[in-house]
């Protein structure tokens, strides 16, 4: 999907006997030119093979790093987060929640994931307006 227009660029049936991981390259193979394009994907697609494929097509990527990628998570957690300046702060209201999102971006040296140049941290503070309960979540992504 094109994030600017909402236009679906490609679509592919996953099927009953396969999974999304095996359909990643065939799906993106239907898009003629990925050079300079930023491909975003959920944590399921944080696969070294997917990153190498995108780099080979001269594309960029943003993927989510979850706990099962222990060495990469450890590398990202070792970044000097307190020394990284805040890049942005956005406050929003919707669905009964008040949310504050903060973003930090850091350069990554000697990355453990193909082509990674930066790490992005998004911290969300959500408050339920009815109950007053607040939750804080931190997401670490690693884009090329």
């Amino acid at each position: 999907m094109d994030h600017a227009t909402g236009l679906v660029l490609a679509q592919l049936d996953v099927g009953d006997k396969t999974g999304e991981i095996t359909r990643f390259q065939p799906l993106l193979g239907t898009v003629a030119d990925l050079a300079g394009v930023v491909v975003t994907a959920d944590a399921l697609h944080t696969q070294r093979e997917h990153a190498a494929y995108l780099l080979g097509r001269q594309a960029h990527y943003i993927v989510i790093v979850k706990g099962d990628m222990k060495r990469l998570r450890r590398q990202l957690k070792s970044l000097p987060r307190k020394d990284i300046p805040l890049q942005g702060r956005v406050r929003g209201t919707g669905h009964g929640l008040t949310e504050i999102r903060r973003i930090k971006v850091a350069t990554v040296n000697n990355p453990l994931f193909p082509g990674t140049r930066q790490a992005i941290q998004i911290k969300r503070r959500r408050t339920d307006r009815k109950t007053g309960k607040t939750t804080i979540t931190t997401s670490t992504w690693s884009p090329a």
Side-chain angles (χ1 to χ4, degrees), residues 8 18 22 25 47 50 60 62 64 72 92 96 122 131 137 140 143:
V8 175
T18 186
T22 62
Q25 289 183 29
Q47 306 281 329
H50 291 353
H60 306 280
I62 297 177
I64 298 172
L72 182 55
I122 299 174
T131 66
T137 57
T140 305

Side-chain angles (χ1 to χ4, degrees), residues 4-135:
T5 64
L7 180 68
V8 175
L9 302 175
Q11 193 171 354
L12 191 63
D13 184 26
V14 173
D16 293 336
K17 304 237 183 218
T18 186
E20 288 181 37
I21 291 174
T22 62
R23 306 306 287 156
F24 184 84
Q25 289 183 29
L27 171 68
L28 292 174
T30 66
V31 179
D33 186 12
L34 289 177
V37 170
V38 178
V39 176
T40 59
D42 63 19
L44 178 69
H45 296 290
T46 306
Q47 306 281 329
R48 285 174 174 77
E49 297 81 20
H50 291 353
Y53 172 78
L54 291 170
L55 294 170
R57 300 264 328 257
Q58 299 178 337
H60 306 280
Y61 62 83
I62 297 177
V63 292
I64 298 172
V65 179
K66 293 280 190 167
D68 62 341
M69 301 195 80
K70 294 181 186 338
R71 290 180 59 214
L72 182 55
R73 286 277 296 186
R74 198 173 15 231
Q75 180 186 34
L76 295 171
K77 283 187 169 202
S78 73
L79 293 171
R81 294 176 192 225
K82 291 182 180 179
D83 299 334
I84 300 169
L86 186 64
Q87 299 291 316
R89 183 179 184 275
V90 178
R91 183 182 180 103
T93 305
H95 304 287
L97 300 171
T98 298
E99 181 179 70
I100 298 171
R101 290 183 303 274
R102 298 166 40 125
I103 186 169
K104 290 185 173 188
V105 181
T107 299
V108 179
N109 296 318
N110 303 315
L112 295 173
F113 201 76
T116 299
R117 303 283 185 269
Q118 295 177 310
I120 301 171
Q121 179 193 60
I122 299 174
K123 187 174 272 191
R124 294 177 185 87
R125 179 185 177 108
R126 293 180 175 155
T127 303
D128 185 304
R129 294 189 323 206
K130 282 187 180 178
T131 66
K133 181 181 176 187
T134 297
T135 57

